[in-house]
Amino acid sequence: MNTLAEENYLKAIYKLSLTAGNVSTNQIAAELATKASSVTDMVRKLAEKALVNYTRYQGVSLTKAGEKVALNIIRRHRLWEYFLVEKLHFKWDEVHDMAEEMEHISSTELIDRLDAFMGHPTRDPHGDPIPDCDGNFKVTELKPVSTVEINTAGVISGVRDHSASFLQYLERQQLTIGKHIIIKEVISYDNAVILEMENTQIQISRDVANNLLIAL
Amino acid sequence: MNTLAEENYLKAIYKLSLTAGNVSTNQIAAELATKASSVTDMVRKLAEKALVNYTRYQGVSLTKAGEKVALNIIRRHRLWEYFLVEKLHFKWDEVHDMAEEMEHISSTELIDRLDAFMGHPTRDPHGDPIPDCDGNFKVTELKPVSTVEINTAGVISGVRDHSASFLQYLERQQLTIGKHIIIKEVISYDNAVILEMENTQIQISRDVANNLLIAL
DNA sequence: TTATTTTTTTAGACTTGTCTAAAAATACAA
DNA sequence: TTGTATTTTTAGACAAGTCTAAAAAAATAA
């Protein structure tokens, strides 16, 4: 079907497309820790397979077909993450690299049965939605804690930074998916945010508040 | 660690070593559906990594280190096969190709937890033993039905042919792992074998009798 | 033992995906 | 708008793993 390298490019382009329109060669290179010249070559190849739209110097976007492939990879990644946490009891900061390998296992029958085995979960351990087998998923609007008004109540529902160190920090502060919080105050000096959770106050930095997402 | 190609070579060499001493270039080429010249190159590379013993024109054998790697791959393969059958309810003739991909997932922590999750199974769905994390497994002596005396009783415990078509045939005849059988007669004309199982008689061909293994 | 066949290795080439260095196009600043 | 800086592409090279064709070694037969 598609090579491992091709799948990784499609996933990177999908991810970058969420925050930009056309994705630049350099952005992809940074995302994949490779060089812009390598990206140019691969993007040509993907364009020939009709998985991306590409014109020289104009950046890249996924075609419908390319998006479908990307969403399938993401589906597999997130289902395996769910499996690792729920069935094998890994912690949410430990599963990314393993899922990165497992997402390339190709059988769709396998993935559909895995999905059923786990009861068709809709979100992975980090709160990200799991696309169904047709690539559909519900888009719940989540907001960074740093962007909501004082006295807003919400439920921790996702993260923007998926790094192990950030997830470990959240774990230590008990700021995990599903917790109910209220934004109490923003310190004007450094934009630190004071939250209330389970009747205790927690202070988090501007950075943390930017990367912690809540559903209202 | 080792590349995918390297792992496949080590596994093939291990498998061939079970029935021969030193394995020839041509045998490996046949096993992996590649050419002898490619094998020579790869075997050189594996010799440099001290995973095989190799001298020109003399064939190949695994070193202790190479055997350890091979047994690890086999462990992973068989544990995933067990998972696919026991947890995802695939049939025993459907799992080989999927496990062939999954065996290359590298995390040992993952495999050890998978092992625990399934209750440390000792045999895969085809009756083959699953090595533990140190590469140890018990060698139960199994005999092809074609080699035992008349009136011998035994338990179906393994197969020598793992092809989907053979497994499907056995399934249809209910000749599955764990069934108790008695060898009743060998037809001298074509060496077909008549078995008794659950008080009914079943006739199987010489070929089938050769590939069906029982524990006495 | 010598000749012939078979097996294995060598030599050189190809593909995929990557890289560096240089050229071309675009973007930005004065 | 012209010159400079940045981004992107091109050109050529390299590593891994494979292939074909030819040469070398080993096995077999006469």
Side-chain angles (χ1 to χ4, degrees), chain B residues 17-29:
Chain B
S17 297
L18 295 177
T19 46
N22 264 25
V23 177
S24 80
T25 311
N26 259 2
Q27 283 176 292
I28 300 170

Side-chain angles (χ1 to χ4, degrees), chain B residues 132-197:
Chain B
D132 70 18
C133 54
D134 301 315
N136 303 310
F137 58 92
K138 41 172 181 309
V139 270
T140 317
E141 220 228 314
L142 300 182
K143 293 199 161 214
V145 166
S146 56
T147 65
V148 301
E149 307 248 309
I150 298 301
N151 285 320
T152 309
V155 178
I156 297 179
S157 302
V159 291
R160 281 212 296 210
D161 177 356
H162 289 70
S163 71
S165 62
F166 182 59
L167 297 174
Q168 281 160 16
Y169 166 83
L170 293 179
E171 183 84 29
R172 204 165 58 239
Q173 305 296 313
Q174 314 242 55
L175 294 164
T176 49
I177 304 287
K179 290 285 180 67
H180 290 254
I181 61 175
I182 303 168
I183 286 72
K184 298 302 277 186
E185 191 185 342
V186 176
I187 311 287
S188 58
Y189 171 62
D190 59 358
N191 291 306
V193 176
I194 296 175
L195 310 171
E196 190 177 297
M197 180 173 72

Side-chain angles (χ1 to χ4, degrees), chain A residues 178-198:
Chain A
K179 289 287 179 70
H180 291 253
I181 60 173
I182 302 168
I183 285 72
K184 299 303 277 185
E185 190 184 342
V186 176
I187 311 287
S188 57
Y189 171 62
D190 60 358
N191 290 307
V193 176
I194 296 175
L195 311 170
E196 190 178 298
M197 180 174 74
E198 291 159 359

